[in-house]
Amino acid sequence: MAAAQAARPYQVVVWGASGFTGKLVCEHIAKDYQGRITWAIAGRDQRKLEQVRADLVKINPACKEVPILVADAYDSAAVGKVLSQTKVVLATAGPFQKYGNTVVEQSVAQGTHYCDITGEVPWVKRSMEKHHKEAEAKGVKVVHCCGYDSVPADLGTLLVVDHCQKKLGKKVDRVYTLVGPSNGAVSGGTIASAMMTVANESFNELGDISSNAYYLAGLYGGKGTAKPAPTRPTFIEPAQSWAGPFVMEGVNGRIVQASAALATQPYGSDFKYIEMMSMGSGWSGWTWANLASFGTALLGLSFALPPTRALLTKVLPAPGQGPDEQKRTTGFWNHYMYAVTEEPSGGKPTVVKGHVGDKRDPGYWSTSRMLLEAGLCLALDQANGSRKGGVLTPASAMGMALVDRLRAAGFTWEVLEGDKAAAK
């Protein structure tokens, strides 16, 4: 497959380039990679794509030669023709359960690596069930969740697990991820995807996501005693902090456990992952953790009930809308990981602390750059990652090679410290 891909005219095609995130991916390329990679923009509307290219020329005049490829997301032949011309497709057009099926199918059929920014976990599961074996046999990497969902969680966990294994020679019993101070805005596309998932999936399916830590990992043989992160206020001993539920844990936690199941070197004998929001210590931390629990429950109920869901669609941003440039460039986010090593009975574990973050908006500036660097990792660093093909996670498909790319792009990805601690 590598020889066939080498003959293709493009290393990367941005699919859905006229959408909000698609435009941001193109802007990153125009600023930092134009002339260094071969690429094209793709979507269903020629006129909108021409406007995207005109806007890119204002950033970098060399973009006037960027090719435009046109195909409707429901036209298999047309999509296949586009994807047959590139090593990697960066899919940005969501909701993916509505617009993504043909693109994934044709990626596998054409032998084209695929990355997207979905957070639609039931759709990811169906993709794994349908395409993993064929993609694995062909050496095609289909990688979902390459944005803020779930690169920080997935590769942040890999960062501290890798440190424990290589520097300390130890397996990891569990990793806590605490979401720290952040400032970001949400777009209409993200809201539409979440609402469509809640509206279309059965109660049992949604319940399985929220209660089964191995919802995705089980497809790869993952099993153990792990439970999803608590929805109640919880004191995290290694961090000495109270924590409340984080709304994206239902995506990130399932991806991390899938990575653990796909890892050629096991994270631990019975690896557990807990992701929550850091609320601080003392009575104030406890109070904020309770408020976070209440707010998360209220948000979930609002999305679940059709009347409130319909009301929210009228007042929240619509698809195609998102934060302006000032909000994207002045936002920030921080995640702190605490890896607790696996020890013999009675042994005192080591706690290794890590930090990942960015000084830009998580949902859009960071997401669009993460997706681009993931795609370039597949296009240019194919030898990296623990798996050579299949429907994969960011950690299993690209591993520490993607961490290196993200560091070079200005993200923080660091191990802060390791010490002995009583971990509960």
Side-chain angles (χ1 to χ4, degrees), residues 350-422:
T350 298
V351 176
V352 172
K353 182 179 179 182
H355 171 226
V356 301
D358 191 21
K359 296 179 181 178
R360 283 75 56 109
D361 165 75
Y364 288 88
W365 198 102
S366 293
T367 283
S368 56
R369 191 57 180 243
M370 289 174 191
L371 177 66
L372 173 59
E373 297 299 338
L376 293 177
C377 197
L378 292 181
L380 306 176
D381 308 323
Q382 174 62 16
N384 293 285
S386 62
R387 295 282 178 160
K388 303 307 179 186
V391 181
L392 305 172
T393 60
S396 62
M398 293 161 280
M400 293 299 290
L402 182 52
V403 171
D404 292 339
R405 279 193 165 273
L406 293 172
R407 284 170 173 158
F411 291 84
T412 297
W413 234 273
E414 60 184 348
V415 174
L416 296 177
E417 60 188 38
D419 55 34
K420 295 288 183 181

Side-chain angles (χ1 to χ4, degrees), residues 18 71 84 117 143 167 174 213 248 288 304 316 318 332 336 340 382 398 419:
S18 62
S84 68
I117 53 170
V143 194
K167 302 294 184 181
R174 59 195 180 277
M248 297 314 302
W288 283 111
L316 294 174
F332 59 90
Y336 296 92
V340 180
Q382 174 62 16
M398 293 161 280
D419 55 34

Side-chain angles (χ1 to χ4, degrees), residues 50-63:
E50 289 174 351
Q51 183 59 56
V52 170
R53 183 168 63 183
D55 292 339
L56 294 175
V57 169
K58 297 174 185 177
I59 298 172
N60 187 336
C63 289

